[in-house]
Amino acid sequence: MKKKYRVRDYNFLLVIFVVAISVIGVLAIGSAKESLQSRQMMGVVLGFFLMLVISLFDYGFFLKFYWVIYGANLALLLLVRLIGVDAGGAQRWVNIFGIQFQPSELAKILLILFYAQYIMIHKEKLNKLKTLVMMILLFIPPLALVYLQPDMSTSIVIVVVFVVLLFVGGLSWKIIAGVAAVVIPTFVILFMLILQPDQKIIRDFQQTRILAWLYPDEYENAEGYQQQNSIMAIGSGQLMGKGLNNNSIASVKGGNFISKTETDFIFAVVGEELGFVGSTSTVLLLFGISMMCFNTGRKAKDTAGSLICAGVGIIIGFQSFTNISVATGLFPNTGIPLPFVSYGLTSLLCLYMGIGFVLNVRLQCIKKY
């Protein structure tokens, strides 16, 4: 339900940060692929409107329908399997009444809302085996549907969000330590198996990306080509960059040495054309947005509010860190977009929705004053 709030209690700094990073995204996308700039601008305007509307409605009202949220999430992900649009070898989009969108992006926000309420209701029993098993069983279907699209990058993000929600919700350190003692060695073993020539754990192109990251010199003319050129582009920007919309053949972007510059490697465009100043500004804005989300969650009036803020904060923080790490060669290519900067209307709108909920948590936690 809509409530009355005081204007001075609104977190305008968070809004300013979000708008600022969105402007950088619009400029970078216009430089990377001019034909998409107007669509991204439209997404920013629509997202801003959604953020404002959601921020004025009590998040508790939405959470009352958490089972409906969970069911709607599963239904949308199932639609991808049934009538999904295939593009680039992946079936991740659905077209409903002429509107094409990516349900896996919306799934991130819907899962946060569902588990925020579920964990708050079962908070006293969170460390009971029955509760943990039920939460994991409820988590498996949406995760599996996203992974089978196939979309490993979004699957990783969803797993990270789920783990963070459990931690913030009050999961015992003993359980965390026990799980870590099993998961870490298992991950190391799986990683070693993945590097074997005849492995069947992941797809061949995913294995090649990892090998190109580990042995860049051997794959510099193949899978590692883009990542190496991305590093070169960022470094060539120096302090102030080469300027937006630079199409010089000497430019890595202008010479078409990197594909998907508007999505996966948008940070390379920022680095080359806006330089160290633009890159640092982008990092600081994203870091600031993520930290403001966490700080709001720390002051939330209830567990659900804290979990919503933590979930949105970790999406922005984790995706930002991963995307920039890929662009700078620290991580293998994952295909995770840079929040508010990479092109993608579904991702952009969902992020704005998430910020809208964070803004409302902030209004709710200080409303009594």
Side-chain angles (χ1 to χ4, degrees), residues 229-242 250-253 268 271-273 275-276:
N229 285 333
S230 172
I231 297 170
M232 186 188 305
I234 294 170
S236 69
Q238 299 185 33
L239 181 62
M240 301 301 296
K242 299 176 181 178
S251 165
V252 176
K253 185 219 73 180
E272 182 174 51
E273 303 198 344
F276 177 79

Side-chain angles (χ1 to χ4, degrees), residues 5-313:
Y5 305 105
R6 297 179 301 183
V7 175
R8 67 181 183 182
D9 292 336
Y10 209 79
N11 193 346
F12 288 105
L13 183 60
L14 177 56
V15 175
I16 291 171
F17 272 41
V18 169
V19 172
I21 194 65
S22 298
V23 169
I24 291 176
V26 169
L27 294 174
I29 288 168
S31 181
K33 196 169 185 179
E34 188 177 0
S35 61
L36 299 176
Q37 188 175 41
S38 59
R39 288 175 59 84
Q40 187 76 359
M41 290 176 63
M42 179 186 69
V44 170
V45 173
L46 180 56
F48 188 84
F49 174 75
L50 281 174
M51 176 187 72
L52 290 180
V53 172
I54 291 174
S55 69
L56 298 177
F57 282 82
D58 184 356
Y59 65 88
F61 172 76
F62 293 99
L63 298 186
K64 291 179 181 177
F65 305 97
Y66 69 110
W67 282 113
V68 176
I69 291 172
Y70 180 81
N73 186 31
L74 279 186
L76 288 172
L77 292 174
L78 282 170
L79 279 178
V80 177
R81 300 291 297 171
L82 298 174
I83 60 170
V85 178
D86 192 293
Q91 192 170 320
R92 301 174 185 172
W93 294 265
V94 292
N95 193 314
I96 301 177
F97 303 118
I99 301 175
Q100 185 167 304
F101 64 99
Q102 194 173 350
S104 59
E105 291 293 334
L106 183 59
K108 300 173 188 176
I109 303 299
L110 296 182
L111 283 173
I112 289 172
L113 296 177
F114 170 74
Y115 278 110
Q117 183 71 357
Y118 190 92
I119 291 176
M120 185 171 72
I121 292 174
H122 300 87
K123 184 174 176 62
E124 300 302 322
K125 300 179 181 178
L126 183 62
N127 292 297
K128 300 290 186 180
L129 180 61
K130 181 180 179 181
T131 304
L132 288 173
V133 169
M134 181 58 67
M135 290 181 65
I136 293 172
L137 289 176
L138 289 169
F139 180 68
I140 289 175
L143 176 64
L145 289 170
V146 171
Y147 181 78
L148 292 172
Q149 292 181 2
D151 193 347
M152 178 176 283
S153 59
T154 302
S155 300
I156 293 172
V157 175
I158 290 175
V159 170
V160 171
V161 170
F162 179 65
V163 171
V164 169
L165 292 179
L166 285 176
F167 174 74
V168 176
L171 189 65
S172 169
W173 279 102
K174 293 181 180 179
I175 297 177
I176 294 173
V179 172
V182 175
V183 170
I184 294 176
T186 302
F187 175 80
V188 173
I189 294 171
L190 283 175
F191 186 78
M192 297 303 294
L193 292 174
I194 285 171
L195 299 180
Q196 303 304 311
D198 299 324
Q199 63 85 31
K200 301 295 182 182
I201 301 173
I202 60 176
R203 293 172 173 81
D204 290 341
F205 77 91
Q206 294 169 334
Q207 182 195 44
T208 304
R209 287 181 176 181
I210 296 174
L211 291 172
W213 170 63
L214 291 173
Y215 311 106
D217 293 338
E218 296 180 21
Y219 291 83
E220 61 180 355
N221 294 319
E223 192 67 27
Y225 182 75
Q226 290 194 86
Q227 205 163 25
Q228 292 304 307
N229 285 333
S230 172
I231 297 170
M232 186 188 305
I234 294 170
S236 69
Q238 299 185 33
L239 181 62
M240 301 301 296
K242 299 176 181 178
L244 286 167
N245 305 309
N246 188 319
N247 291 315
S248 168
I249 193 65
S251 165
V252 176
K253 185 219 73 180
N256 293 319
F257 296 116
I258 304 176
S259 63
K260 297 184 179 180
T261 50
E262 73 277 10
T263 53
D264 298 353
F265 288 96
I266 193 67
F267 191 74
V269 177
V270 174
E272 182 174 51
E273 303 198 344
L274 298 178
F276 177 79
V277 173
S279 299
T280 303
S281 299
T282 300
V283 172
L284 290 177
L285 284 170
L286 290 167
F287 179 77
I289 293 170
S290 184
M291 288 300 102
M292 277 189 272
C293 290
F294 291 132
N295 187 53
T296 300
R298 187 174 59 84
K299 301 175 182 177
K301 69 175 185 179
D302 56 24
T303 301
S306 297
L307 292 171
I308 289 173
C309 294
V312 175

